[in-house]
């Protein structure tokens, strides 16, 4: 059976005047996400310059959509206070999904060694 996991990696900045609101929205987002078994990993990294990189791993494309439904309210606010500078997807995503979300780069499985 083919591995269906999908990793989303995106870089973003928080609009300077919205840092406090970002922290509030992030807290809401994390509270929901921690109870989603289809979200396999959800990590946020911050550089000293204040820019961020977020790495999310999902069971499959349907899991991403479910997560987006579950977090629709904070996700909308998140979009208002941040600016995505780059997004990459790793895994089997449909063309419709990558087009809908304007993926700058989407890599599909090519070769792997599983342990």
């Amino acid at each position: 059976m083919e591995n269906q996991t999908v990793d989303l990696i995106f870089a973003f900045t928080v609009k300077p005047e919205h840092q406090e609101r970002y922290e509030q929205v992030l807290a809401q987002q994390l509270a929901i996400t921690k109870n989603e078994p289809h979200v396999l990993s959800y990590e946020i990294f911050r550089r000293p310059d204040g820019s961020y990189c977020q790495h999310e791993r999902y069971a499959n494309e349907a899991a991403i959509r479910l997560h987006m439904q579950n977090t629709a309210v904070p996700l909308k606010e998140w979009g208002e206070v941040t600016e995505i500078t780059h997004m990459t997807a790793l895994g089997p995503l449909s063309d419709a999904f990558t087009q809908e979300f304007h993926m700058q780069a989407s890599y599909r499985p090519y070769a792997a060694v599983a342990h």
Side-chain angles (χ1 to χ4, degrees), residues 5 9-10 20 22 51 54-55 60 62 64 68 79 84 91 106 109:
T5 60
I9 303 164
F10 50 99
E20 186 175 326
Y22 166 76
S51 62
Q54 190 158 326
H55 175 227
N60 51 39
I64 299 169
M68 292 177 76
I84 295 176
S106 179

Side-chain angles (χ1 to χ4, degrees), residues 91-112:
L93 289 174
S94 67
D95 289 338
F97 187 94
T98 58
Q99 289 170 7
E100 181 181 349
F101 295 100
H102 310 286
M103 296 285 178
Q104 296 161 328
S106 179
Y107 299 90
R108 295 194 172 120
Y110 180 72

Side-chain angles (χ1 to χ4, degrees), residues 2-107:
E2 183 181 317
N3 182 356
Q4 293 295 307
T5 60
V6 177
D7 288 73
L8 299 181
I9 303 164
F10 50 99
F12 64 96
T13 58
V14 175
K15 297 172 185 172
E17 68 275 17
H18 294 299
Q19 185 66 41
E20 186 175 326
R21 186 169 169 211
Y22 166 76
E23 298 296 337
Q24 294 167 350
V25 169
L26 178 61
Q28 294 171 18
Q29 190 91 344
L30 293 174
I32 296 167
T33 302
K34 73 178 184 179
N35 294 312
E36 294 181 296
H38 51 278
V39 178
L40 306 178
S41 178
Y42 196 90
E43 301 172 291
I44 302 168
F45 304 86
R46 186 172 182 191
R47 287 179 135 175
D49 69 2
S51 62
Y52 295 84
C53 183
Q54 190 158 326
H55 175 227
E56 303 172 1
R57 178 171 287 158
Y58 295 91
N60 51 39
E61 181 178 316
I64 299 169
R65 291 192 181 277
L66 182 56
H67 170 71
M68 292 177 76
Q69 289 173 355
N70 292 341
T71 60
V73 173
L75 186 57
K76 181 181 182 301
E77 286 188 65
W78 186 92
E80 294 169 358
V81 302
T82 63
E83 184 174 327
I84 295 176
T85 56
H86 184 81
M87 182 179 291
T88 299
L90 305 173
L93 289 174
S94 67
D95 289 338
F97 187 94
T98 58
Q99 289 170 7
E100 181 181 349
F101 295 100
H102 310 286
M103 296 285 178
Q104 296 161 328
S106 179
Y107 299 90

